[in-house]
C-alpha cells in the first residue's frame, strides 16, 4: 500500500490527476505567502495606486511644510545679515572677516535647519509609507488623518534610526576621505605614494558601505510597524536580513533603477526640447537679464522641468520606502510565519477603493 501522507487534500484528485494547491489569501495588495520580485514591486505600485490620497497627500503636505520653513528661515537669515551681504558683494570690495563671518554663520545655520528639516520630512514620509502599507496588506481603508497621526507618532524613532544609520555609513566613508587627504599630503610633501592605493581603498570602502546599508535597511520600517526603539530596530534588521542580503540588495537596486529611469524619462525630453535662450545685452542689469530669461520659453521649460522634478521626487520618496517595507514583510513571512497572523487580522471583505 503506497504512502500518500503529506500531500493533503490538494494532492491527487479523485480521478488520479494532480490538483494544484489553492492560491494563498490576498486580502490586500500582496498575497500572504513568500513573495517574488513581481509581488514586491507590484505590491508597492498597487499601494501607490489604491492609497494615493494618504500616501501622496502626507508627502506633499510634509514637503510643503518644509518649503515654508526654509523660506522663512532664509528670509530671517538674510534680514539678519543683509548689511554684511551688501558689504561683501559690492563691486570692488575686499573680503573682510568682519563682514564674512556673520554671513557664513547665518547661512551655516540655514543649512543646519535644512538638514534637520529634510531628515524630519524623510523620516515622516517613511513612517507614513509603513503605516499605509500596514493597512494595504490587510485590505483595510487608510485615511489621510489616520496615516498622519500614526506616522507623526513614529517619526522621532525613525529619525533616530536614520541618524544612527547615517553615522554608521559615514564611518567607513569618513575614514576613506581622511586617508585620501593624508595620501595627497604625503604626495605634496615629496613622499612616493602609489595612486593605486586610492582606487584600491575605494573598492574596499564602497562595498562595505553598501553591505552596512542593506544590513540595516529594514530598521525604519521596524521602528514604525513594531514601535521599536532605534537600537532595537537596527539589531532586528540585521537578524531579518541575515541569509537574504543579496536578495534584498538586488530588489532594492532594481527599485532604484526604476526610479532613475522614470526620472530621466521626465527630464530628458524637456532638456532636449528646450529652446535657445534669448540674447543677452551686455549693458543690461542682472535683474533685467533674469526677467528676460524667465519671461521667454526658456522660463516655461524651466518651470515644467521643476514641476516634473518635484513630482518624480515625491513619487521616489514614496516608492522606495514601500519596496523596503514590502521586503520586510516578506522576510517576516518567510522566517516568522507572519502570513497566518495577517490572514487572521484581515477583514472578511477586503477594502476596494
Amino acid at each position: 500500500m503506497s504512502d500518500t501522507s503529506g500531500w493533503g487534500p490538494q494532492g491527487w484528485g479523485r480521478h488520479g490527476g494532480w490538483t494544484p494547491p489553492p492560491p494563498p489569501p490576498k486580502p490586500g495588495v500582496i498575497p500572504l505567502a513568500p513573495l517574488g520580485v513581481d509581488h514586491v514591486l507590484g505590491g508597492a505600485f498597487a499601494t501607490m495606486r489604491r492609497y494615493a490620497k494618504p500616501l501622496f497627500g502626507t508627502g506633499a503636505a510634509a514637503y510643503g511644510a518644509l518649503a515654508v520653513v526654509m523660506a522663512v528661515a532664509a528670509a530671517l537669515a538674510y534680514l539678519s545679515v543683509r548689511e554684511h551681504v551688501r558689504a561683501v558683494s559690492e563691486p570692488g570690495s575686499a573680503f573682510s572677516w568682519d563682514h564674512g563671518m556673520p554671513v557664513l554663520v547665518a547661512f551655516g545655520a540655514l543649512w543646519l535647519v535644512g538638514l534637520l528639516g529634510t531628515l524630519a520630512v524623510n523620516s515622516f514620509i517613511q513612517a507614513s509609507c509603513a503605516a499605509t502599507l500596514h493597512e494595504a496588506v490587510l485590505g483595510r481603508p487608510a485615511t489621510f488623518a489616520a496615516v498622519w497621526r500614526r506616522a507623526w507618532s513614529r517619526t522621532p524613532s525613525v529619525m533616530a534610526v536614520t541618524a544612527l544609520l547615517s553615522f554608521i555609513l559615514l564611518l567607513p566613508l569618513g575614514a576613506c576621505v581622511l586617508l585620501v587627504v593624508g595620501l595627497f599630503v604625503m604626495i605634496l610633501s615629496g613622499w612616493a605614494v602609489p595612486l593605486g592605493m586610492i582606487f584600491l581603498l575605494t573598492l574596499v570602502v564602497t562595498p562595505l558601505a553598501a553591505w552596512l546599508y542593506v544590513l540595516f535597511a529594514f530598521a525604519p520600517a521596524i521602528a514604525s510597524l513594531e514601535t521599536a526603539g532605534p537600537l532595537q530596530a537596527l539589531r532586528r534588521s540585521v537578524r531579518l536580513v541575515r541569509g537574504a542580503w543579496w536578495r534584498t540588495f538586488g530588489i532594492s537596486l532594481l527599485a532604484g533603477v526604476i526610479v532613475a529611469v522614470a526620472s530621466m524619462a521626465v527630464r530628458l525630453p524637456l532638456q532636449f526640447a528646450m529652446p535657445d535662450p534669448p540674447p543677452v545685452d551686455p549693458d543690461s542689469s542682472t535683474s533685467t537679464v533674469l526677467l528676460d530669461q524667465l519671461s521667454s520659453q526658456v522660463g516655461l521649460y524651466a518651470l515644467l522641468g521643476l514641476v516634473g522634478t518635484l513630482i518624480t521626487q515625491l513619487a521616489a520618496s514614496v516608492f522606495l520606502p514601500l519596496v523596503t517595507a514590502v521586503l520586510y514583510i516578506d522576510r517576516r513571512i518567510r522566517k516568522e510565519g507572519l502570513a497566518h497572523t495577517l490572514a487572521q487580522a484581515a477583514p472578511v471583505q477586503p477594502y476596494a477603493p
Side-chain angles (χ1 to χ4, degrees):
M1 184 175 186
S2 61
D3 182 12
T4 59
S5 61
W7 288 93
Q10 69 274 14
W12 292 98
R14 179 180 301 176
H15 301 291
W18 184 78
T19 303
K26 187 180 178 182
V29 295
I30 57 172
L32 303 183
L35 305 176
V37 179
D38 55 337
H39 294 130
V40 173
L41 299 178
F45 282 120
T47 305
M48 293 171 65
R49 184 177 65 255
R50 298 183 191 179
Y51 296 82
K53 289 183 179 179
L55 276 176
F56 295 109
T58 53
Y63 278 124
L66 177 61
V68 171
V69 169
M70 291 304 300
V72 172
L76 293 176
Y78 175 75
L79 291 175
S80 64
V81 294
R82 57 183 173 181
E83 299 299 331
H84 299 288
V85 171
R86 290 172 183 172
V88 172
S89 59
E90 285 180 355
S93 62
F95 179 80
S96 171
W97 281 110
D98 294 335
H99 296 295
M101 183 58 70
V103 174
L104 292 176
V105 171
F107 288 96
L110 179 63
W111 173 83
L112 183 60
V113 170
L115 180 65
L116 294 177
T118 302
L119 174 62
V121 166
N122 289 338
S123 300
F124 175 79
I125 291 177
Q126 289 188 75
S128 67
C129 290
T132 305
L133 185 66
H134 180 271
E135 306 304 321
V137 169
L138 298 176
R140 300 191 303 209
T143 63
F144 176 89
V147 170
W148 184 282
R149 287 194 300 269
R150 183 165 182 174
W152 183 255
S153 66
R154 299 310 305 162
T155 296
S157 182
V158 178
M159 278 185 65
V161 166
T162 305
L164 285 174
L165 181 56
S166 300
F167 177 75
I168 292 171
L169 293 177
L170 282 176
L171 289 177
L173 296 177
C176 178
V177 170
L178 289 177
L179 188 51
V180 169
V181 171
L183 290 175
F184 275 111
V185 170
M186 294 173 65
I187 292 173
L188 294 175
S189 302
W191 288 69
V193 179
L195 294 179
M197 289 181 61
I198 299 176
F199 177 73
L200 183 62
L201 181 65
T202 304
L203 290 181
V204 173
V205 171
T206 302
L208 177 60
W211 177 72
L212 290 172
Y213 176 80
V214 174
L215 205 62
F216 299 119
F218 295 157
I222 293 170
S224 180
L225 293 174
E226 299 185 22
T227 64
L231 294 177
Q232 181 185 358
L234 291 172
R235 289 194 297 266
R236 181 148 168 72
S237 177
V238 172
R239 290 195 295 269
L240 287 175
V241 173
R242 187 177 296 126
W245 189 95
W246 282 107
R247 185 172 187 271
T248 305
F249 171 76
I251 297 177
S252 300
L253 181 62
L254 178 59
V257 170
I258 292 173
V259 169
V261 171
S263 178
M264 288 190 295
V266 172
R267 289 184 299 176
L268 288 181
L270 291 174
Q271 291 180 358
F272 284 118
M274 182 177 292
D276 295 330
V280 176
D281 186 359
D283 298 329
S284 300
S285 62
T286 304
S287 59
T288 302
V289 172
L290 182 59
L291 288 175
D292 290 341
Q293 297 289 332
L294 293 178
S295 60
S296 66
Q297 288 188 349
V298 174
L300 175 61
Y301 276 86
L303 179 61
L304 292 175
L306 177 62
V307 172
T309 300
L310 292 176
I311 293 175
T312 54
Q313 174 63 32
L314 179 60
S317 67
V318 169
F319 177 67
L320 294 177
L322 281 177
V323 171
T324 304
V326 175
L327 281 170
Y328 153 77
I329 293 174
D330 173 58
R331 289 303 297 160
R332 290 199 61 188
I333 289 175
R334 293 172 183 268
K335 296 191 69 172
E336 300 174 354
L338 183 63
H340 179 68
T341 303
L342 293 176
Q344 289 182 327
V348 177
Q349 295 294 333
Y351 169 60

